Amino acid sequence: MDITREQPNSNITNDEIMEKRLKTRLTLHTIATVLLLGSSAPLYAYVLSPIHLLNYVDSYGNLSLRNTGDIQLPDPLVISGNLNLEKSKISQLPRSLTVNGNLNLAYTEVEYLPLVFNVDGFVNLAHSKIKELNYGMIVKGDLSLMGTEIQKLPDNLYVKGDLYLNNSKITKLPNQIIVDGDIHINGTQITSIPDNAKIKGRIIN
């Protein structure tokens, strides 16, 4: 079989070549933007560098990536203000995360928290896919696990603010739990409080 190769078109001008290259770059940029801003079926996590994050940080140091697609944050990551990832498709956090303000992970795909995890404000995990918390976890504000499928809390959990367990799968409080505020248990199967629990506020059902 005789196969004839198509000869390159020598009539293409430099302007046409540049135009094709520009279209290719625009297409790649569009794909990246769709992945960052949200897609029904993203192919992979969009990697954000520290330079990328500067576009989303306000003058107070707050970083908002709410409603974004599946993203991958720099590791380690330190945020001087609040970090808002609510309703994003993020599924994995950096192995080392420090937030000097509040952390909002409501309605995210996150299942586990980083081993190095320091948050100075509240931690909102409401309606997320969280499966477990770190042993001896310290929360310096409120902790919300409302509407989650998590079934067990770690021993030695400390919450400086209120603990929200409404409509979660938690059935009992852990040993040595310390809560300086109230515990909200409406919609749970919790019926008793451990003898070694230290709760300064009320149990609200």
Side-chain angles (χ1 to χ4, degrees), residues 34-144:
V34 169
L35 289 172
L36 176 60
L37 297 180
S39 171
S40 58
L43 300 177
Y44 52 84
Y46 184 76
V47 180
L48 293 176
S49 69
I51 300 299
H52 286 134
L53 295 185
L54 293 177
N55 296 318
Y56 303 94
V57 177
D58 64 20
S59 58
Y60 297 98
N62 302 314
L63 173 60
S64 180
L65 293 167
R66 192 175 185 272
N67 290 315
T68 54
D70 188 5
I71 54 177
Q72 181 179 327
L73 297 172
D75 186 18
L77 179 62
V78 178
I79 303 298
S80 59
N82 304 321
L83 176 56
N84 186 0
L85 295 166
E86 182 177 354
K87 293 185 178 180
S88 70
K89 299 299 182 180
I90 188 170
S91 58
Q92 188 171 355
L93 296 172
R95 289 172 295 180
S96 177
L97 177 62
T98 299
V99 180
N100 294 329
N102 303 315
L103 175 61
N104 189 354
L105 293 169
Y107 296 95
T108 65
E109 304 295 317
V110 171
E111 296 181 350
Y112 301 98
L113 299 176
L115 292 177
V116 179
F117 183 73
N118 298 297
V119 178
D120 285 345
F122 68 68
V123 177
N124 185 4
L125 290 161
H127 305 284
S128 69
K129 297 298 178 64
I130 192 72
K131 289 184 175 181
E132 67 178 34
L133 302 180
N134 299 345
Y135 175 83
M137 181 174 170
I138 297 175
V139 181
K140 299 175 183 178
D142 295 341
L143 172 60
S144 178

